[in-house]
């Protein structure tokens, strides 16, 4: 289908984009890679009067290190995240999760910022961003502010972004030397996660020193499995210890029932996939 | 809005509506009907083209977004009446039945081989996961891509067109 008509502008700086967004009013929409938005427009599930394209803003693309933080521009594509050596070294969890997103064509266009701003509860990059304690930098008419990932995701497709704000950077504290795995459960290739688990671990000798675990699609927002993380600290990096800790994965969750899975099955998946993700991460 | 875009080596300047999808621009405005539309949900990959050297689903890009860019479609692959090695391999390995997925399969296969010149079966299946085929069961598509890889050594991508043509062997019989 063909989208309904809209005006289009492609500013070349963040300041121009923020101004254009404010001037265009509440029916305007930002377009990043378009890989979530264009399908929505084609099905006429949304009909913005104006699109503000971030695709020509060079300052929003690219990855750099800033002290102990990896700074990823919002318009950095999934493809570039997958291949960036700094991401592999300091935020391996983000790389391995990005490897599972969609297909090569979508990864050439889709962006980290777009995925995070879209905040689809089944999206695969929210849990890694949460697990890595990332911060999101938002830029509006009044300047910049920084929001922690745990405060950024508010509800289904709803974030802390105000109507005049753009997501400009994802700031990830370096997790250098942490192993990682993203375990995704979906029925067929190229399908969204029914449940998935993001896990990253720092081991010392054969012992787990620190662990971060977050769950995809177990709530309207990504969820940290703190009980699992705590149960792992000081444990040997063995399959038995991991299996025991993973039993806590669904604690405190009440995932919804839909045509793919009901609440109890999602909770079961969370435990099983947490065990698999951690086992793969530590190589046990 | 006015856009200028180079498609298969020819530069076009056209007035387009912001809502026009790239695939509709290619098919309806400049007549490149080799690129087809197979779905409404960005899933099938039949519309795959190369945008500045990277594969994209042209149904999921706006024509206005490609202003100033270079596009290659399946129509731009053959050289001097000779098929591109990947096209030839699809022919040789009987990698199509109705052929509707083929333009997208070929464009994505070229992208895959540019990144990984010698993919194993698993890598081919992963590389083509954004392309659906309702007919072949994929077996011969995988064979064709690996056959093309062998014939195109040391690599594909933009250099592929310069590779020696090898005579086709009999179709079928696998
Ligand atoms: C066939 C297919 C399969 C897919 N499979 C998966 C999958 O398995 N896992 C997965 O996680 N994702 C999947 N996706 C989605 C994909 O990851 C998208 O790239 C991503 O969700 C959105 O990124 P984008 O850059 O394309 O954003 P867009 O589509 O351009 O934008 C999405 C939304 O975010 C807003 N937005 C974008 N950028 C900003 C910004 N910087 N500031 C403020 N607001 C912004 C837009 O206004 C829009 O509302 C799939 C998509 C397709 C088409
Ligand atoms: S027509 Fe583009 S993905 Fe199906
Ligand atoms: S050959 Fe018919 S869809 Fe692939």
């Amino acid at each position: 289908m063909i989208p309904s008509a809209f005006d289009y502008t492609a500013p070349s700086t963040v300041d121009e984009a923020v101004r254009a967004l404010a001037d265009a009013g509440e029916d305007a929409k930002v377009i990043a890679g378009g890989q979530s938005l264009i399908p929505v427009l084609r099905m006429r599930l949304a009909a913005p009067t104006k699109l503000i394209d971030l695709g020509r803003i060079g300052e929003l693309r690219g990855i750099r290190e800033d002290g102990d933080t990896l700074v990823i521009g919002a318009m950095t594509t999934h493809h570039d995240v997958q291949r960036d050596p700094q991401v592999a070294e300091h935020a391996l969890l983000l790389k391995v999760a990005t490897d599972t997103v969609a297909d090569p064509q979508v990864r050439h266009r889709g962006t980290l910022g777009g995925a995070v701003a879209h905040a689809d509860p089944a999206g695969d990059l929210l849990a890694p961003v949460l697990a890595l304690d990332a911060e999101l930098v938002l830029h509006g008419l009044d300047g910049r502010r920084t929001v922690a990932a745990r405060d950024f995701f508010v509800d289904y497709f709803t974030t802390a972004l105000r109507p005049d704000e753009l997501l400009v950077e994802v700031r990830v504290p370096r997790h250098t030397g942490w192993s990682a795995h993203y375990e995704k459960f979906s029925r067929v290739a190229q399908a969204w996660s029914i449940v998935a688990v993001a896990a990253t671990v720092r081991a010392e000798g054969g012992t787990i020193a620190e662990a971060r675990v977050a769950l995809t699609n177990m709530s309207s927002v990504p969820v940290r499995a703190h009980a699992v993380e705590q149960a792992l600290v000081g444990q040997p990096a063995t399959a038995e210890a991991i299996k025991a800790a993973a039993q806590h994965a669904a604690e405190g969750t009440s995932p919804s029932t839909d045509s793919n899975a009901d609440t109890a099955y999602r909770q079961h998946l969370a435990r099983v996939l947490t065990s698999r993700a951690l086992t793969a991460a530590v190589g046990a | 809005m006015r856009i200028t875009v180079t498609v298969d080596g020819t530069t076009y300047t056209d007035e387009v509506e912001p809502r026009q999808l790239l695939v509709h621009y290619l098919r309806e405005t400049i007549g490149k009907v080799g690129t087809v539309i197979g779905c409404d949900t960005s899933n099938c990959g039949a519309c795959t083209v190369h945008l500045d050297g990277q594969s994209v689903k042209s149904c999921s890009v706006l024509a206005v977004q490609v202003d100033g860019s270079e596009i290659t479609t399946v129509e731009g692959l053959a050289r001097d009446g000779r098929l591109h090695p990947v096209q030839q391999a699809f022919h040789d390995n009987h990698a199509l039945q109705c052929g509707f997925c083929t333009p997208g399969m070929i464009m994505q296969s070229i992208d895959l081989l540019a990144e990984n010149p010698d993919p194993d079966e698993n890598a081919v299946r992963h590389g083509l996961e954004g392309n659906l085929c309702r007919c072949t069961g994929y077996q011969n598509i995988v064979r064709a891509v690996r056959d093309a890889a062998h014939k195109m050594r040391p690599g594909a991508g933009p250099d592929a067109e310069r590779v020696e043509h090898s005579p086709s062997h009999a179709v079928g019989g696998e």
Side-chain angles (χ1 to χ4, degrees), chain A residues 151-227:
Chain A
D151 301 321
F152 182 77
F153 301 108
V154 175
D155 203 346
Y156 295 100
F157 301 99
T158 307
T159 68
L161 274 165
R162 297 188 189 125
D164 71 318
E165 282 179 327
L166 297 178
L167 171 60
V168 290
E169 285 175 358
V170 178
R171 297 177 65 89
V172 186
R174 290 203 298 196
H175 286 66
T176 316
W178 291 53
S179 60
H181 187 78
Y182 188 71
E183 185 73 21
K184 174 168 172 172
F185 185 80
S186 55
R187 290 237 179 82
V188 289
Q190 210 203 31
W192 292 85
S193 290
I194 296 172
V195 173
V197 176
T200 189
V201 174
R202 186 171 67 80
E204 276 169 10
T207 302
I208 296 173
E210 290 179 89
R212 304 280 179 268
V213 180
L215 315 175
T216 298
N217 218 8
M218 285 294 286
S219 170
S220 60
V221 293
V223 183
R224 269 289 273 276
H226 287 295

Side-chain angles (χ1 to χ4, degrees), chain A residues 29-39 54 74-75 78 100-103 106 109-115 117-118 122-125 161 165-168 184 190-193, chain B residues 41-43 57:
Chain A
K29 260 219 169 286
V30 163
I31 180 167
Q35 301 303 291
S36 291
L37 186 58
I38 292 177
L54 305 183
M75 286 297 292
H78 302 322
T100 75
V101 168
D103 55 57
V106 171
R109 295 290 295 170
T111 66
L112 177 59
H118 192 54
D124 291 306
L125 302 179
L161 274 165
E165 282 179 327
L166 297 178
L167 171 60
V168 290
K184 174 168 172 172
Q190 210 203 31
W192 292 85
S193 290
Chain B
T41 53
S42 306
N43 278 294
K57 295 177 177 178

Side-chain angles (χ1 to χ4, degrees), chain B residues 36-39 42-47 57 59:
Chain B
V36 295
I37 304 171
C39 75
S42 306
N43 278 294
C44 75
C47 63
K57 295 177 177 178
C59 71

